[in-house]
Amino acid sequence: MVTLKDVAKKCNVSLATVSKALNGHTDIGEQTADSIRQIAKEMGYLPNAMARALKTNRSNNIGVLFVDKTSSGLTHEYFSEILNSLKVHAEFRGYDITFISSNIGSFSMDYYEHAKYRRCDGVVIASVDFDNPDVIKLVNSEIPTVTLDYIFNNCFAVMSDNITSMQEIVSHVYSLGHNKIAYIHGEDTSVTQKRIASFYKTCKSFGINVPDEYVKSAMYHDPRSSGLATRELLALEDRPTCILYPDDFSFIGGMNEIEKQGLSIPEDISVVGYDGILLSQVLRPKLTTFRQDAEEIGKQAALALIDKIENPKQFITNHVVVKGKLIPGDTVKRI
Amino acid sequence: MVTLKDVAKKCNVSLATVSKALNGHTDIGEQTADSIRQIAKEMGYLPNAMARALKTNRSNNIGVLFVDKTSSGLTHEYFSEILNSLKVHAEFRGYDITFISSNIGSFSMDYYEHAKYRRCDGVVIASVDFDNPDVIKLVNSEIPTVTLDYIFNNCFAVMSDNITSMQEIVSHVYSLGHNKIAYIHGEDTSVTQKRIASFYKTCKSFGINVPDEYVKSAMYHDPRSSGLATRELLALEDRPTCILYPDDFSFIGGMNEIEKQGLSIPEDISVVGYDGILLSQVLRPKLTTFRQDAEEIGKQAALALIDKIENPKQFITNHVVVKGKLIPGDTVKRI
DNA sequence: TTGTATGCGTTATCAT
DNA sequence: ATGATAACGCATACAA
């Protein structure tokens, strides 16, 4: 381990001078600084992040909290895309990413304690379970936080645009002649509530009547439950002409059910997914879906959090809405 | 921030005593220790990981290096499952996970420097690009490392069993009467080489002749290239009766091509995937595939690395092979 | 412009 | 059984 002290000795200057030179302070002679940097590099000097953090009380490390009931958060492509984007943009700004969880080591810490223990400068919370007391404790703590797809009143939030997205989907489907539109939605979350409300509202704006039996409950990322809902919808006396799914992956369950009944997409029934994951783009017929801009969501989260960390005084806590984009495919027939 | 000093003051003992009590040293009086622990808890004391790391030269943090040419590593379900498992088991042993990358902040560090800077106690390397000089530098450094699916001579490796898996796949297909078996493989990596060799060897052991045109090159996780390869195979004069794909996701490309030609699975052509991702289990017909035990791979990687970190002297650097499992589906017809 | 000295919070050594 | 103290590597206030 080569330390500042070693470099100082080699350079015949004081430790403080080396520190300043390496950190680009202006009160060091031009050539002195240059030669110090040069020698430090030659010696393979690397700052010790721990020592620096201890001294400055800043770890340059941001925590990521993914709580998923199924603990499959990472295998959900939407989240892994966000995580990747978050990582890229945080790293660009000099921050590393550490996962936060409870149960670290033999005894358990809650999220706040874990983040505090690691001296995270901030935490990004992507979770379905915002009612979790531990999550609430973290959000209300002095640690800067940013939430995804959920708004706390004292915490910056990055929201995917669930209102507009449903508007666009319904409008698209309606413009192709459909007015018997069914919606299979995911489990009850604030995101789901928004989508449902927007679904009803948009339908109403077009004068579309939505019978109760056209709105089915299923689970996100779960083809089985969407398959069951699909079966129910297909069994209706007055069958819908188009079904909206909770997400692209769940649609697979619907697809299976539809094919099983000898129906074909989109000739006999039209369908729309949600998320725009890779899968939706490689299925044939190509799935009509709504692409959430996960890259942008991750980026906004990183930038907002870092801004909050670095400029706490002037930071304005509000929320930003990230627009997605309808991706027309070949699964909605013009009728 | 409540520190050891604060607790010491409250307890009317010295700072050293508190430290010992909290760390379970035996040279502290039973009741003293108890009351100290009690009070520390009440005061909400949390150790400062940075200070501790500085002093002990151990960060209780392990780095994860995912290099993917497409930088889509995380969106590959196989890897995200491994990552999740790694995380769970590392956390259980008291270690947190931090991503390692180059380009941290404005200037770039290589992987070794990054890991060193963060004082990672060890690094897990999951990468396709093991030729990368920076990866090699890291592996050859003093930092304990564990590689996934690649063997360096001085580094513990966790290997998925690519030899046996191909044996099982070919045996299964052969047992159902196929002897015209085509293999679409991924890009050239050591994993691919093993699978190809095992494919040829197993075929030979059954007396199956494999014409050169039955072995096609495509890319992992890329339905397009597998789709093209499928087209070529289907155009063959002497068409194979079964096609093995690089992975489940790539199979989608083949599926599209097969359907496009009006053929059906498995009546007209049989197919087998690889990986056993969620998707393979929800498609209908259910895809016959080989499930890699990503959970076990992540676990073994975590345990081996931590063992290497905590018992460097007695640690034996070798490799462990994690067996997967053939998951018969409905895509291979008995002929 | 450069150097000295202090302390961040902890662990560990050595006294007592 | 308990306490005083040094040291980990660094940044910084202050002195020179």
Side-chain angles (χ1 to χ4, degrees):
Chain A
M1 261 298 313
V2 30
T3 71
L4 279 186
K5 202 156 119 189
D6 302 325
V7 178
K9 200 175 296 170
K10 192 95 161 197
C11 295
N12 289 314
V13 293
S14 80
L15 188 157
T17 306
V18 178
S19 173
K20 287 175 185 170
L22 261 33
N23 288 308
H25 289 214
T26 52
D27 59 351
I28 298 293
E30 192 71 22
Q31 55 274 20
T32 330
D34 275 348
S35 97
I36 289 175
R37 276 189 284 264
Q38 169 72 20
I39 294 182
K41 190 161 202 172
E42 281 169 12
M43 296 178 70
Y45 169 77
L46 275 180
N48 182 323
M50 301 299 149
R52 180 178 279 173
L54 181 59
K55 183 67 188 164
T56 61
N57 217 22
R58 286 277 308 283
S59 63
N60 279 283
N61 202 112
I62 74 185
V64 173
L65 180 54
F66 267 47
V67 199
D68 195 339
K69 278 161 186 160
T70 66
S71 79
S72 72
L74 280 179
T75 60
H76 196 313
E77 192 174 318
Y78 173 59
F79 287 115
S80 58
E81 270 189 66
I82 290 178
L83 176 60
N84 199 60
S85 169
L86 189 67
K87 172 174 177 290
V88 167
H89 290 97
E91 283 170 351
F92 184 73
R93 299 285 241 99
Y95 289 78
D96 279 317
I97 297 290
T98 296
F99 285 115
I100 294 299
S101 64
S102 44
N103 290 307
I104 179 74
S106 36
F107 40 177
S108 71
M109 297 189 194
D110 61 39
Y111 304 128
Y112 167 73
E113 290 168 347
H114 190 170
K116 190 81 186 171
Y117 168 66
R118 282 288 173 198
R119 305 283 117 159
C120 290
D121 294 331
V123 178
V124 173
I125 306 175
S127 163
V128 259
D129 197 7
F130 286 100
D131 297 329
N132 184 322
D134 286 349
V135 172
I136 294 173
K137 176 177 176 188
L138 174 59
V139 167
N140 290 326
S141 75
E142 79 285 4
I143 299 178
T145 50
V146 164
T147 50
L148 298 185
D149 280 337
Y150 190 90
I151 297 183
F152 286 105
N153 69 357
N154 53 350
C155 179
F156 193 95
V158 180
M159 310 292 292
S160 65
D161 192 353
N162 291 292
I163 307 290
T164 312
S165 62
M166 280 308 286
Q167 266 174 28
E168 291 191 26
I169 290 172
V170 173
S171 301
H172 176 72
V173 170
Y174 177 74
S175 75
L176 291 172
H178 295 263
N179 54 21
K180 297 203 285 187
I181 307 171
Y183 180 27
I184 301 175
H185 62 257
E187 59 267 25
D188 186 37
T189 64
S190 62
V191 165
T192 306
Q193 286 163 13
K194 279 184 192 158
R195 291 188 194 169
I196 294 177
S198 181
F199 171 72
Y200 276 117
K201 186 174 174 195
T202 311
C203 283
K204 185 164 186 192
S205 78
F206 289 128
I208 300 173
N209 174 47
V210 182
D212 285 348
E213 61 268 27
Y214 274 18
V215 178
K216 296 284 180 194
S217 183
M219 311 241 291
Y220 289 112
H221 214 243
D222 176 46
R224 202 192 50 81
S225 58
S226 279
L228 290 176
T230 302
R231 184 182 306 172
E232 292 173 15
L233 289 171
L234 296 180
L236 288 174
E237 187 120 355
D238 188 20
R239 183 188 277 181
T241 59
C242 181
I243 302 177
L244 314 186
Y245 285 88
D247 54 75
D248 298 338
F249 190 72
S250 300
F251 159 68
I252 300 289
M255 184 180 87
N256 293 331
E257 187 63 30
I258 290 167
E259 289 179 354
K260 192 166 147 196
Q261 306 216 2
L263 304 176
S264 85
I265 300 170
E267 287 70 25
D268 302 309
I269 183 122
S270 295
V271 298
V272 180
Y274 203 103
D275 281 351
I277 61 174
L278 218 42
L279 178 63
S280 69
Q281 298 309 296
V282 299
L283 288 173
R284 292 294 173 274
K286 187 152 98 61
L287 182 60
T288 293
T289 187
F290 190 91
R291 168 133 184 98
Q292 304 210 62
D293 194 347
E295 146 71 25
E296 182 67 18
I297 290 173
K299 176 178 176 180
Q300 292 290 340
L303 297 189
L305 184 58
I306 292 171
D307 191 28
K308 190 166 178 175
I309 290 168
E310 299 185 349
N311 309 301
K313 298 301 173 197
Q314 69 192 67
F315 183 82
I316 299 170
T317 296
N318 61 346
H319 60 267
V320 55
V321 173
V322 175
K323 291 226 174 299
K325 192 176 161 190
L326 184 84
I327 312 220
D330 306 310
T331 55
V332 181
K333 185 173 73 162
R334 177 179 297 279
I335 58 178
Chain B
M1 261 299 315
V2 30
T3 71
L4 280 185
K5 202 156 120 187
D6 302 326
V7 178
K9 201 174 296 170
K10 192 94 161 199
C11 294
N12 288 318
V13 293
S14 82
L15 186 158
T17 305
V18 178
S19 174
K20 288 176 184 167
L22 261 32
N23 287 308
H25 290 214
T26 51
D27 59 350
I28 297 293
E30 193 72 22
Q31 56 273 22
T32 332
D34 275 349
S35 96
I36 288 175
R37 277 189 283 265
Q38 170 71 21
I39 294 182
K41 190 160 203 170
E42 280 169 11
M43 295 177 71
Y45 169 78
L46 275 180
N48 182 324
M50 301 300 148
R52 179 178 280 174
L54 180 58
K55 184 65 189 166
T56 61
N57 216 22
R58 286 277 310 281
S59 63
N60 279 281
N61 203 112
I62 74 186
V64 173
L65 180 53
F66 267 48
V67 199
D68 195 340
K69 278 162 184 159
T70 66
S71 81
S72 72
L74 280 178
T75 60
H76 195 314
E77 192 174 318
Y78 172 59
F79 287 115
S80 59
E81 270 189 66
I82 290 178
L83 177 60
N84 199 60
S85 169
L86 187 68
K87 173 174 176 291
V88 167
H89 290 98
E91 282 169 352
F92 183 73
R93 300 283 241 98
Y95 289 78
D96 279 316
I97 297 290
T98 296
F99 286 115
I100 294 300
S101 64
S102 43
N103 291 308
I104 180 74
S106 36
F107 39 0
S108 69
M109 296 189 194
D110 60 41
Y111 303 130
Y112 167 72
E113 290 168 346
H114 190 170
K116 190 81 184 170
Y117 168 65
R118 281 291 171 198
R119 305 284 118 157
C120 291
D121 294 332
V123 179
V124 173
I125 306 177
S127 161
V128 260
D129 197 8
F130 285 101
D131 297 329
N132 185 323
D134 286 349
V135 172
I136 294 174
K137 176 177 175 187
L138 174 60
V139 167
N140 290 325
S141 75
E142 80 284 4
I143 300 177
T145 50
V146 165
T147 50
L148 262 39
D149 279 338
Y150 191 91
I151 297 183
F152 286 105
N153 70 357
N154 53 350
C155 179
F156 192 95
V158 180
M159 310 293 292
S160 65
D161 193 353
N162 292 291
I163 307 288
T164 312
S165 61
M166 279 308 285
Q167 268 174 28
E168 291 191 28
I169 290 171
V170 173
S171 301
H172 175 72
V173 170
Y174 178 73
S175 77
L176 291 173
H178 295 263
N179 54 20
K180 298 203 285 185
I181 307 171
Y183 180 27
I184 302 175
H185 63 256
E187 59 267 25
D188 184 39
T189 65
S190 62
V191 165
T192 306
Q193 286 162 13
K194 278 183 191 155
R195 291 189 195 168
I196 294 176
S198 181
F199 170 73
Y200 276 118
K201 185 174 176 192
T202 311
C203 284
K204 185 164 185 193
S205 78
F206 288 129
I208 300 174
N209 174 47
V210 182
D212 285 350
E213 61 268 28
Y214 274 18
V215 178
K216 295 284 180 194
S217 182
M219 311 240 293
Y220 289 113
H221 214 244
D222 176 45
R224 202 191 49 80
S225 59
S226 279
L228 290 176
T230 302
R231 183 182 307 172
E232 292 172 14
L233 290 171
L234 295 180
L236 253 43
E237 188 120 350
D238 188 22
R239 186 187 273 179
T241 59
C242 181
I243 302 177
L244 314 185
Y245 284 88
D247 55 74
D248 299 338
F249 190 72
S250 300
F251 159 67
I252 301 288
M255 183 181 88
N256 293 333
E257 187 64 30
I258 290 167
E259 289 179 354
K260 192 165 145 196
Q261 306 215 4
L263 303 175
S264 85
I265 300 170
E267 287 71 25
D268 303 309
I269 183 125
S270 295
V271 297
V272 180
Y274 203 103
D275 282 351
I277 60 174
L278 217 43
L279 177 63
S280 69
Q281 298 309 296
V282 300
L283 288 173
R284 291 296 171 272
K286 187 150 101 52
L287 182 60
T288 293
T289 187
F290 190 91
R291 168 131 184 100
Q292 304 209 64
D293 194 346
E295 147 69 26
E296 183 67 17
I297 290 173
K299 177 179 178 180
Q300 292 289 342
L303 298 189
L305 184 59
I306 292 170
D307 191 28
K308 190 166 178 176
I309 291 167
E310 299 186 349
N311 309 302
K313 298 300 173 198
Q314 70 191 67
F315 183 81
I316 299 171
T317 295
N318 61 346
H319 60 266
V320 55
V321 173
V322 175
K323 292 226 173 300
K325 192 177 163 191
L326 184 84
I327 311 216
D330 307 310
T331 55
V332 181
K333 186 174 72 161
R334 177 179 297 278
I335 58 178

